[in-house]
Amino acid sequence: MNVYKFGGASVKDAEGVKNLFKIINTQRENLIIVVSAMGKMTDALEVLCNSYFGKTGNIAEVFQRIQDFHQQIIRDLFGSADSEVNARVEALYQELDTILKSDPSLCYDYEYDRIICFGELLSTTIIAAYLEKQGRKAKFTDIRKCLITDQNYRNACVDIELSAQLCRKTFNFQDTFMYITQGFIAGTTTNQTTTLGREGSDYTAALLANLLDAEDVTIWKDVPGIMNADPKIYENTEIISKLSYKEAIELSNCGAKVIHPKTIKPLQNKGIPLFVRSFLYPESHGSVIRELDEKLKLPPIYINKGDQLLLTLSPRDFSFIAEEKLSRIFATLAKYRLRLNLMQNSAITFSFCIDYNEAIFESFIDELHDEYEVLYNKNVRLLTIRHYNEDIIQQLTSHKNVLVEQRSRLTARFVVADN
C-alpha cells in the first residue's frame, strides 16, 4: 500500500486536479490519497475566521470569494450541469454559513479549527467527484472519524492507539483499492474538529503510513525534489537526491517548507521511505528521505522564513532571566499556541522569534506587558543556513539589517529586517 499526498499548489485549479488524475491513474496497488485545501484557500479561510471571531471586516464578501473560487474549479471540471457535485459542495457551504451566522465562542483556537477544515473538505469532495466521473472511483473518507486527537485545538495530539484501530477498520481495502481523504484535520471522540498544525497534511500522510504499515509515502510538490533553497527566491538552486531522517528533521524544524516538522518521526519509527516528487514532471525520480548508513556531503542549505515577529523581553524589576521566568514565558507561548522558531537570552533580556498572528497579537503582547518591557519588530525574516560557510553567509546577509545572529557547528541563523 502507498500513500500519496497532494498539497494546495498541486490542486490550485482545474488543471491541477486533472493532473492529479493522470498521476494516480497509473497506480495499480492499494493507494490512499491525502489532499490539502486548494491553492491558498487555507489563507482565505484564516481571513474569514479572523473576521468572524473578531467581528470585523466583511464576512459575507470573504465567504463569497471562497465560494466563487471553488465554483470556478467545478465549472472547469464538470461544466454547469453536474447537480450531484454541486449538491455536495452546497451542503458544505450551508454548514459553514450556519457557523458564521452564530456567535463565536470565547476560544479562538476552537473556532479556527471548525472553520479552517472546510478547505480540505471542499477539495476532497470536488476531487473525489471528478475521479468518479473519470471512471476512477476513490472512496471518500472523512479523516475526522478515524484520526482521533485530544482537544488541543490548532495543534492537536493524536491518540495513536485509538486512531490505529479506527484507521485499520476504515482503510481496509476490502471494497476498493483507492481512498481519498483530508490532510491537516482530525477529530475528537466527541466529534469536534481539530487540526494538526499549519501545513500538517504531510503529517497526516506520515501517520496513515505508520498506522497502516505503508510501503512508502510520496509528497507531490511544485519543485523537482528537495532543493537546497527555495527556487522562487534564490537562483542556481540544486536538487538533493537523498537525505537521512535526522537531517530532514533538522531542516523541517528550521522552517523548511518542503516537509512538516512532525512528518519524519512516524516514518522513521517503521523505516518507511518518503519521496518528494514533482507533480509537474511525475516521471522524474525526485528526492528520497530514508535511513542512510553513509555520511552525505551536503551543499549549504538555506531556508528563508518570512512574516516573523521578533520580541525582546526585559523584566521590569531588572531581575535575571532565569529558569523561573523562562518557564512563565514558555507557559504564555503555549497558552497562545505559539512555537518558538529561535530564542536567545542574556542576563536580563530574552529574545525570540515566532510566526506573526494578527488575531492574537494584541492580547499576547498585553499579557507579556504585565511583567516585562516588550520591544518587538514585525515583518522580519528568519534566515537559516545549514552546512554553512563564510562565503554563503556573506552572500546572503550582506547589505541586510541583521537583528539577531546565532551559530552552531552546522547551522547559522539570522533574524533580518525587511528593508
Side-chain angles (χ1 to χ4, degrees):
M1 185 268 288
N2 309 110
V3 179
Y4 281 2
K5 180 262 176 175
F6 291 88
S10 64
V11 291
K12 65 181 180 180
D13 52 26
E15 289 306 310
V17 176
K18 293 175 182 177
N19 191 52
L20 177 151
F21 167 70
K22 291 178 183 176
I23 291 172
I24 64 101
N25 199 38
T26 62
Q27 180 74 5
R28 294 294 177 265
E29 298 181 12
N30 290 342
L31 178 66
I32 297 176
I33 307 166
V34 176
V35 184
S36 302
M38 293 174 153
K40 298 293 184 179
M41 195 44 51
T42 300
D43 293 339
L45 285 162
E46 281 188 348
V47 172
L48 182 65
C49 177
N50 293 343
S51 296
Y52 166 70
F53 188 77
K55 299 180 180 179
T56 60
N58 192 331
I59 294 175
E61 182 181 326
V62 177
F63 186 26
Q64 189 59 55
R65 288 201 298 267
I66 290 169
Q67 294 178 72
D68 291 344
F69 172 84
H70 290 99
Q71 291 307 125
Q72 183 60 58
I73 293 176
I74 290 170
R75 284 193 294 272
D76 292 342
L77 290 173
F78 301 93
S80 58
D82 197 307
S83 58
E84 186 174 348
V85 66
N86 278 310
R88 296 179 198 170
V89 169
E90 184 62 32
L92 292 170
Y93 293 154
Q94 290 297 325
E95 186 179 345
L96 179 53
D97 187 54
T98 299
I99 293 173
L100 297 174
K101 287 180 177 177
S102 66
D103 290 331
S105 69
L106 297 178
C107 180
Y108 173 80
D109 295 337
Y110 167 75
E111 301 297 350
Y112 180 97
D113 280 4
R114 70 174 186 150
I115 289 174
I116 215 77
C117 66
F118 284 92
E120 278 70 20
L121 294 173
L122 285 164
S123 67
T124 48
T125 297
I126 293 168
I127 293 169
Y130 180 74
L131 296 180
E132 184 175 353
K133 179 184 176 183
Q134 300 303 310
R136 193 68 160 170
K137 184 175 176 58
K139 189 171 183 178
F140 179 91
T141 303
D142 188 339
I143 196 67
R144 296 175 298 177
K145 304 298 183 185
C146 53
L147 197 60
I148 305 302
T149 72
D150 60 13
Q151 294 183 338
N152 190 31
Y153 299 106
R154 290 183 65 209
N155 192 22
C157 297
V158 177
D159 184 329
I160 295 296
E161 185 174 343
L162 179 56
S163 296
Q165 295 174 14
L166 294 173
C167 284
R168 288 166 188 160
K169 182 177 179 181
T170 301
F171 299 100
N172 55 35
F173 295 99
Q174 291 182 0
D175 55 354
T176 184
F177 76 95
M178 189 177 295
Y179 293 87
I180 183 167
T181 194
Q182 305 80 30
F184 176 49
I185 68 176
T188 68
T189 54
T190 56
N191 292 328
Q192 302 300 314
T193 300
T194 56
T195 59
L196 305 177
R198 190 66 196 269
E199 309 292 344
S201 293
D202 295 351
Y203 184 39
T204 304
L207 283 169
L208 290 175
N210 176 287
L211 299 177
L212 300 169
D213 296 319
E215 181 179 340
D216 56 51
V217 175
T218 301
I219 295 177
W220 297 93
K221 302 187 72 74
D222 57 353
V223 290
I226 298 171
M227 314 295 291
N228 74 314
D230 187 343
K232 297 175 184 175
I233 301 176
Y234 299 100
E235 297 179 351
N236 303 318
T237 57
E238 57 184 285
I239 298 176
I240 300 172
S241 61
K242 55 185 177 180
L243 279 179
S244 66
Y245 291 124
K246 181 178 179 181
E247 185 67 30
I249 289 173
E250 291 280 0
L251 293 175
S252 64
N253 276 283
C254 288
K257 292 183 178 180
V258 69
I259 300 295
H260 185 275
K262 294 181 181 179
T263 301
I264 302 301
K265 187 58 178 173
L267 301 177
Q268 187 269 338
N269 285 348
K270 291 193 173 179
I272 300 171
L274 172 64
F275 294 92
V276 179
R277 299 173 62 185
S278 170
F279 61 78
L280 300 172
Y281 306 100
E283 67 282 356
S284 299
H285 294 296
S287 306
V288 62
I289 300 170
R290 67 192 329 157
E291 197 68 63
L292 297 173
D293 294 329
E294 74 268 32
K295 186 174 181 179
L296 300 176
K297 183 174 177 56
L298 295 170
I301 303 171
Y302 26 108
I303 302 157
N304 195 319
K305 190 173 177 64
D307 201 20
Q308 296 293 290
L309 179 69
L310 174 65
L311 298 102
T312 298
L313 310 183
S314 302
R316 295 188 183 277
D317 60 2
F318 290 96
S319 59
F320 290 113
I321 296 287
E323 287 78 6
E324 183 180 349
K325 289 194 180 295
L326 286 173
S327 67
R328 291 204 294 271
I329 295 170
F330 277 93
T332 305
L333 289 163
K335 174 182 175 180
Y336 286 90
R337 307 286 193 268
L338 294 170
R339 177 179 176 272
L340 281 175
N341 297 322
L342 174 142
M343 60 180 172
Q344 185 167 289
N345 69 286
S346 65
I348 58 171
T349 64
F350 181 66
S351 298
F352 57 96
C353 206
I354 56 175
D355 295 338
Y356 176 65
N357 185 336
E358 182 180 4
I360 63 172
F361 172 73
E362 293 295 341
S363 57
F364 175 62
I365 295 296
D366 286 345
E367 189 159 337
L368 293 173
H369 266 305
D370 291 342
E371 190 173 352
Y372 302 96
E373 179 184 333
V374 181
L375 302 177
Y376 61 83
N377 298 79
K378 293 182 180 179
N379 300 318
V380 299
R381 292 185 170 273
L382 177 57
L383 175 62
T384 301
I385 310 172
R386 182 92 172 144
H387 306 288
Y388 65 89
N389 56 53
E390 292 303 322
D391 288 342
I392 199 68
I393 287 177
Q394 180 64 23
Q395 178 184 327
L396 296 178
T397 63
S398 62
H399 309 298
K400 287 186 171 60
N401 182 16
V402 177
L403 303 174
V404 179
E405 175 178 344
Q406 282 185 357
R407 298 197 196 193
S408 63
R409 293 180 181 178
L410 294 177
T411 306
R413 312 191 79 189
F414 305 89
V415 179
V416 298
D418 282 342
N419 297 321

